[in-house]
Amino acid sequence: MTRRPRTVVPGVPGVPKVPGVLALIVACAGFAAAQSPANRVTLFEGARLITGDGSAPIESGAMLVENDSIVRVGRKGDVTAPAAAAHVDLTGKTVMPGMVLAHGHIGYLKGTTFSRDNYTRENIVDQLNRYLYYGVVAMMSTGTDPGDLPYEIRNQPHPGALFRMAGRGLAAPDASTGNLAMRTVPYGVTTEDEARRDVRELAAKKPDVVKIWVDDRNGTVKKLSPLLYRAIIDEAHKHGLRVVVHVYYLADARDLVEAGADGFLHLVRDEEMDDALVARMKARRMFVTPNLSTSEAGTYANKPAWLDDPLLAESASPAMIRKVADVYAARAGGQPRTAAIASYQKQQRSLARLNAAGITIALGDDTGIENTFYGFGEHHELELMVAAGMTPMQAIVAATKTPAGLLKLDRLGTIAPGKSADFVVLDANPLENISNTKRISRVYQRGQQVDRAGLRATFLN
């Protein structure tokens, strides 16, 4: 008898692929089953272990995993395993925690299109699988998620990266995101009563944070006023919710710090973030996601070299890559973009100052807006963070432990006993060159190896 070959549902090893909505049902059933497997014990030995907490790596390390949890970590030979345990030899490899993204968007990109019509369960799960493929084990979508669907996905088992989100953000009317397909989703706020009412409505749904936009888009829209964002921040804090801010101008950043904002999802872009601002941010224990790649995208005079990275081609079709390349070509026309370069250099210096001052820095890069690539973009952001002065170890902590803590994902972010066995196996050491985070050999989620080949087949079919 000839056996028919099997493909798999993304992120759920061993579950047959079924088209459309049925595939998602089967996938989620497989996911739920994977939550309570028969007892599995595996000893991973020989790899360099980057634990994610900033401490020196463990050379020739060992990690004992039972079911979905890490139970012991140490040097090879010091960690013993039961006689029946499986052994995985990772000699010559480097292991780091799975990455966590604190600022992205989801649901609108699909192939070469960008539309509100793409915001479906199937498309969101596909994108969460793309994140997982590249070792991003959790992500937060910030302020552009409509209706009840995002809450349903967050609150139920699903394939791919864990999902957190802000639901609908708040801004002045028609003045939120720069992407028109997303712009109708956030609340448009005009009065203090509206601001507080909208926050209460949002709080009832239990978002992970509240997102606001304070930006006039180069004078093209009305900016959310201090009176209104102060009301939003106050009301959100009454409901135990942190407020994260899309900010652009230095003057606004200063006032937002005093108003009690909890984090900035961009660096200031009109001026450098000076010592006075940084000191106030530190005193207020604020965090920032740099989003360097968003601004760096405006500096190119020609097609960026990273569009030809073979790793990108594993999840993006030639048509998708060509579309983005055409955007860069049309935008720049081969000419230096002086203003964009100057702004980007200010942001690089700002990040160096924030880092030196010990401000909490977490991975965030706006993937999910148009002309970005889920999962791959996070690795590029790490490269830009290091180019701006962070060490590779600091960038890795900013991509693992720090955002996991901010998103209250206590079992993610580090390799330590009691943590979820979500980690990435690399073929080269990212502490020597941060670009080596792209040298992915395997990804593990809750102790099970992710079927990256099966995922790749779904991305490019």
Side-chain angles (χ1 to χ4, degrees):
M1 178 183 297
T2 302
R3 292 188 176 182
R4 182 178 299 174
R6 302 174 75 217
T7 54
V8 297
V9 171
V12 187
V15 179
K17 178 184 175 188
V18 185
V21 175
L22 182 56
L24 297 177
I25 296 172
V26 174
C28 289
F31 178 92
Q35 297 294 78
S36 55
N39 194 57
R40 304 186 320 273
V41 182
T42 305
L43 181 62
F44 298 87
E45 291 185 298
R48 174 185 299 103
L49 300 182
I50 300 174
T51 58
D53 61 3
S55 61
I58 302 172
E59 302 293 342
S60 190
M63 175 172 55
L64 187 66
V65 173
E66 183 173 348
N67 297 327
D68 64 352
S69 298
I70 299 169
V71 293
R72 283 199 288 279
V73 176
R75 289 185 58 85
K76 182 178 178 180
D78 294 339
V79 177
T80 58
H87 289 251
V88 177
D89 184 4
L90 296 179
T91 301
K93 308 289 188 183
T94 297
V95 170
M96 61 175 278
M99 295 194 293
V100 177
L101 176 66
H103 178 196
H105 298 272
I106 207 162
Y108 293 79
L109 273 170
K110 186 175 183 180
T112 59
T113 67
F114 189 89
S115 169
R116 173 83 174 263
D117 293 339
N118 292 335
Y119 199 95
T120 65
R121 182 183 299 272
E122 185 173 12
N123 197 39
I124 291 169
V125 168
D126 171 77
Q127 291 161 6
L128 293 173
N129 276 318
R130 290 171 188 267
Y131 279 119
L132 184 62
Y133 179 86
Y134 287 103
V136 180
V137 298
M139 68 83 59
M140 181 165 71
S141 184
T142 54
T144 53
D145 296 288
D148 293 328
L149 177 60
Y151 295 95
E152 292 170 2
I153 293 173
R154 181 195 63 179
N155 296 339
Q156 297 169 0
H158 58 79
L162 285 177
F163 180 50
R164 296 293 183 265
M165 49 84 208
R168 297 174 63 192
L170 299 97
D174 199 33
S176 56
T177 173
N179 298 92
L180 296 180
M182 297 173 163
R183 192 173 283 184
T184 59
V185 172
Y187 293 95
V189 179
T190 59
T191 68
E192 183 177 347
D193 286 344
E194 274 185 352
R196 292 183 181 276
R197 183 193 64 209
D198 291 344
V199 171
R200 288 194 295 269
E201 180 179 295
L202 185 63
K205 293 178 176 291
K206 302 188 184 304
D208 296 285
V209 295
V210 172
K211 162 76 174 287
I212 63 174
W213 283 263
V214 182
D215 188 0
D216 65 4
R217 302 286 173 185
N218 294 316
T220 62
V221 298
K222 185 177 180 180
K223 192 163 48 176
L224 192 66
S225 71
L227 174 68
L228 297 182
Y229 63 64
R230 285 175 180 272
I232 291 167
I233 292 169
D234 178 66
E235 192 68 31
H237 287 173
K238 286 179 179 178
H239 291 272
L241 292 168
R242 294 164 296 165
V243 178
V244 297
V245 187
H246 167 112
V247 67
Y248 189 97
Y249 298 106
L250 180 64
D252 292 327
R254 291 192 199 284
D255 193 63
L256 283 157
V257 172
E258 303 309 322
D262 297 282
F264 290 143
L265 298 186
H266 287 267
L267 300 170
V268 168
R269 285 162 280 179
D270 67 325
E271 300 290 346
E272 287 185 44
M273 300 171 78
D274 56 29
D275 290 338
L277 172 61
V278 172
R280 291 301 294 155
M281 291 176 64
K282 186 171 185 178
R284 296 280 186 158
R285 298 184 178 181
M286 291 185 69
F287 70 90
V288 64
T289 66
N291 270 63
L292 288 171
S293 53
T294 306
S295 294
E296 189 239 8
T299 68
Y300 291 107
N302 294 291
K303 173 186 173 183
W306 55 261
L307 280 174
D308 294 321
D309 192 322
L311 183 66
L312 176 59
E314 292 180 10
S315 67
S317 69
M320 293 165 65
I321 295 171
R322 185 168 55 252
K323 172 182 177 286
V324 176
D326 289 345
V327 169
Y328 277 108
R331 181 188 292 161
Q335 300 299 314
R337 306 190 73 201
T338 306
I341 292 170
S343 174
Y344 184 63
Q345 291 172 342
K346 291 174 184 176
Q347 292 170 66
Q348 290 178 305
R349 292 192 292 270
S350 291
L351 183 59
R353 182 175 284 116
L354 290 161
N355 186 48
I359 299 296
T360 299
I361 298 169
L363 177 65
D365 65 353
D366 246 348
T367 43
I369 62 171
E370 203 162 4
N371 307 318
T372 59
F373 296 95
Y374 296 103
F376 178 87
E378 283 61 49
H379 294 272
H380 183 58
E381 182 75 14
L382 290 182
E383 293 172 330
L384 298 180
M385 291 163 72
V386 170
M390 297 180 71
T391 67
M393 181 65 86
Q394 288 171 335
I396 289 170
V397 173
T400 55
K401 180 182 178 180
T402 298
L406 291 173
L407 271 58
K408 301 180 181 179
L409 297 171
D410 295 337
R411 298 197 70 222
L412 297 180
T414 57
I415 292 175
K419 299 292 185 177
S420 181
D422 287 41
F423 58 91
V424 185
V425 181
L426 304 171
D427 287 329
N429 183 3
L431 298 178
E432 295 177 352
N433 185 336
I434 194 63
S435 295
N436 287 336
T437 63
K438 296 190 292 187
R439 300 278 300 277
I440 300 171
S441 173
R442 309 172 197 172
V443 175
Y444 284 83
Q445 182 185 46
R446 292 182 289 278
Q448 296 195 37
Q449 184 176 346
V450 173
D451 183 6
R452 297 179 75 240
L455 285 173
R456 190 161 59 247
T458 68
F459 299 155
L460 300 176
N461 63 10

